[in-house]
Amino acid sequence: MYAKTILNLGDIMSYSIIDYALFNANKDFNEIPFNKVDALIFAQLSYLNYTGIVEDTRSESKGVYLHEIAEHEGFSNIFTLPRTVENNMKLFNAIAYSKRYGKIKAKFYEDIAEKDSDTQFGAVAFVLPGNLNVISFRGTDATILGWKENCNMLYRYPVSSQEISVAYVDKVIPKLRGKVIITGHSKGGNLAIYSSVYCKKENKKKIKQIYGFDSPGFTEDFVNDEEYLSTLPKISKFVPEESMIGMLLTDKSSYQIVKSDGIGFYQHDPFMWQIDGITFVPGTKIVMRAQIIDKTFNDWVFGFTPKQREQFLEGMFLLIEKTNEANSPTFRQWVENLLTNIPHAIGAVKGISSEDRALFTKVLRQLFATMGTSVVTTQKSYLNKRIKKLPIIGTF
């Protein structure tokens, strides 16, 4: 379900990206200039599978109008993520024939999934009227492969998809006329920032704005790089109040907190973000439980060397692979089949070397210890801030 369905805009204060697209369907970009909500919509469109409809970067085609995608015989196949099929269909139908989005073309679709290199990458470009273009990077899908590459970011810099994102930008921007906006949700936002930092200088000059929506941060090496620091003024980052992805690792860019109708991890879902007019409903602060989770994770990660992180994560995913008797592509399916794979799990654990088993034990023990420390320190920080705000009523 998405945030709200509205019959009368004046009845309530906030609505969803689907409602935004519907209410502004007859207002082109001259009437309402491209804004942060449009950037989130295009970030969401990158999750669709345009294979067989939109040509890749090897092509010099003129692109495909959104209404042509909607009329394509393979249209129903572009919605590949079960959890978001309904909302993605509603969003696409809201924009395909509208005045605002109807003249937009999709071009240069890339979809890469390579198990050997732990690569899960997707990107698409959109050509808007008025010499404006949007490059949208796809976030993590529900596959085990996609999440393995995410975990690789904890010890490897750069990961494969980051390198590919730079190559994509350098290949696509010269083929686009006018300024370019780069956007992405979750890992897609990480790629939007990374590619903008390390693309060729002549291409960087054409980048107007960079958007990251609840996207994870980077290693310390990256955020201390002069190339990143010089790009910061163009970066806009947004996170929900219960952000559990966007606050991970390190990031020197400022961020805006937004309200979401989701609970817990579901605040990560763009369809749950609240919109008022042409902007997001501002949130107040990152809630304590999200702060605890983020602090626990970051302290835990940086408590080990990159090599130890690599050994642990490689071992964890090897264990998942060995217990994946049903060859489930997604974590959800793997969990559903886990009971039948318990004998394989026992065998897999026995097959781990004593050195790796000791590392596993150490890392997990440290995780629980860090969790307890994070709860105490986060609550203490919260109380100290509250105490400082108390009025001074007198002296003794």
Side-chain angles (χ1 to χ4, degrees):
M1 295 294 292
Y2 60 91
K4 294 178 177 72
T5 301
I6 301 172
L7 297 177
N8 185 342
L9 185 58
D11 289 344
I12 61 175
M13 290 296 293
S14 65
Y15 51 108
S16 74
I17 55 174
I18 298 174
D19 300 313
Y20 168 89
L22 288 170
F23 275 102
N24 295 300
N26 293 320
K27 299 175 183 177
D28 61 27
F29 290 100
N30 291 320
E31 297 174 81
I32 299 179
F34 187 98
N35 58 70
K36 63 192 75 172
V37 182
D38 293 306
L40 180 57
I41 287 175
F42 283 105
Q44 185 61 34
L45 292 179
S46 68
Y47 283 100
L48 306 186
N49 179 11
Y50 303 101
T51 302
I53 302 176
V54 179
E55 294 183 316
D56 59 29
T57 54
R58 294 171 295 181
S59 168
E60 296 293 337
S61 74
K62 295 181 179 180
V64 183
Y65 286 112
L66 298 186
H67 71 83
E68 292 178 322
I69 295 175
E71 295 165 2
H72 195 278
E73 61 181 2
F75 176 65
S76 61
N77 298 325
I78 73 173
F79 307 104
T80 56
L81 295 177
R83 184 175 54 83
T84 58
V85 167
E86 182 181 353
N87 283 333
N88 277 329
M89 289 186 71
K90 288 179 179 178
L91 178 63
F92 203 92
N93 287 328
I95 67 176
Y97 296 94
S98 68
K99 177 182 177 181
R100 184 169 183 80
Y101 303 99
K103 294 182 179 179
I104 293 173
K105 289 182 177 181
K107 304 178 74 171
F108 309 129
Y109 174 62
E110 291 286 352
D111 180 25
I112 301 172
E114 296 177 351
K115 187 175 181 180
D116 291 342
S117 58
D118 297 334
T119 303
Q120 179 260 320
F121 173 85
V124 61
F126 297 96
V127 179
L128 284 63
N131 288 333
L132 184 63
N133 309 274
V134 178
I135 289 177
S136 180
F137 288 105
R138 187 175 64 208
T140 307
D141 56 21
T143 63
I144 294 173
L145 173 62
W147 279 100
K148 187 173 192 297
E149 187 187 38
N150 273 5
C151 290
N152 289 346
M153 290 183 181
L154 303 180
Y155 66 85
R156 187 190 304 169
Y157 166 74
V159 296
S160 179
S161 62
Q162 290 173 332
E163 293 178 315
I164 295 172
S165 71
V166 176
Y168 180 89
V169 165
D170 281 334
K171 190 181 297 183
V172 168
I173 284 185
K175 298 180 179 182
L176 300 173
R177 184 179 302 173
K179 290 293 185 179
V180 179
I181 290 167
I182 303 188
T183 187
H185 169 257
S186 194
K187 186 184 79 172
N190 178 283
L191 299 183
I193 296 170
Y194 187 92
S195 61
S196 301
V197 169
Y198 288 133
C199 65
K200 294 178 181 178
K201 289 184 178 180
E202 59 267 30
N203 294 328
K204 187 181 292 189
K205 290 178 182 178
K206 295 179 68 176
I207 298 174
K208 181 179 181 180
Q209 191 73 31
I210 306 149
Y211 291 94
F213 296 102
D214 206 23
S215 56
F218 300 88
T219 62
E220 291 184 351
D221 290 342
F222 179 86
V223 298
N224 290 321
D225 192 318
E226 284 299 323
E227 292 291 340
Y228 169 74
L229 296 174
S230 66
T231 311
L232 273 177
K234 293 184 177 182
I235 298 174
S236 295
K237 184 170 178 177
F238 303 86
V239 297
E241 292 177 313
E242 291 194 55
S243 175
M244 297 180 192
I245 300 294
M247 303 302 291
L248 299 178
L249 297 178
T250 305
D251 197 344
K252 290 186 177 179
S253 61
S254 59
Y255 57 86
Q256 178 181 326
I257 302 173
V258 302
K259 286 281 187 184
S260 169
D261 286 335
I263 298 174
F265 184 78
Y266 287 98
Q267 290 209 354
H268 187 60
D269 185 349
F271 289 105
M272 306 299 287
W273 289 21
Q274 295 180 8
I275 297 162
D276 182 10
I278 59 173
T279 190
F280 300 117
V281 176
T284 53
K285 62 181 180 180
I286 304 298
V287 300
M288 184 180 291
R289 61 176 169 270
Q291 291 183 47
I292 291 172
I293 291 172
D294 294 332
K295 181 171 173 46
T296 296
F297 184 83
N298 286 330
D299 288 351
W300 175 61
V301 166
F302 292 113
F304 294 92
T305 66
K307 184 62 179 177
Q308 287 176 316
R309 297 175 215 163
E310 178 181 7
Q311 286 178 295
F312 175 77
L313 292 167
E314 286 294 329
M316 183 179 72
F317 278 94
L318 179 62
L319 190 63
I320 291 172
E321 184 178 319
K322 287 183 177 295
T323 57
N324 196 7
E325 184 72 9
N327 199 29
S328 305
T330 69
F331 265 118
R332 181 175 180 177
Q333 292 169 320
W334 175 73
V335 170
E336 289 173 350
N337 294 318
L338 191 57
L339 285 177
T340 61
N341 291 329
I342 288 178
H344 302 283
I346 295 172
V349 171
K350 288 182 178 178
I352 297 176
S353 69
S354 57
E355 181 182 351
D356 288 341
R357 196 155 48 237
L359 176 64
F360 257 66
T361 303
K362 179 181 178 181
V363 172
L364 291 175
R365 186 183 296 121
Q366 183 63 35
L367 171 61
F368 289 111
T370 304
M371 189 180 301
T373 303
S374 295
V375 171
V376 173
T377 57
T378 304
Q379 290 179 333
K380 185 182 292 184
S381 174
Y382 172 77
L383 289 173
N384 285 337
K385 290 178 182 177
R386 292 294 299 272
I387 290 171
K388 288 179 180 178
K389 290 182 179 180
L390 292 175
I392 299 175
I393 58 176
T395 58
F396 296 91

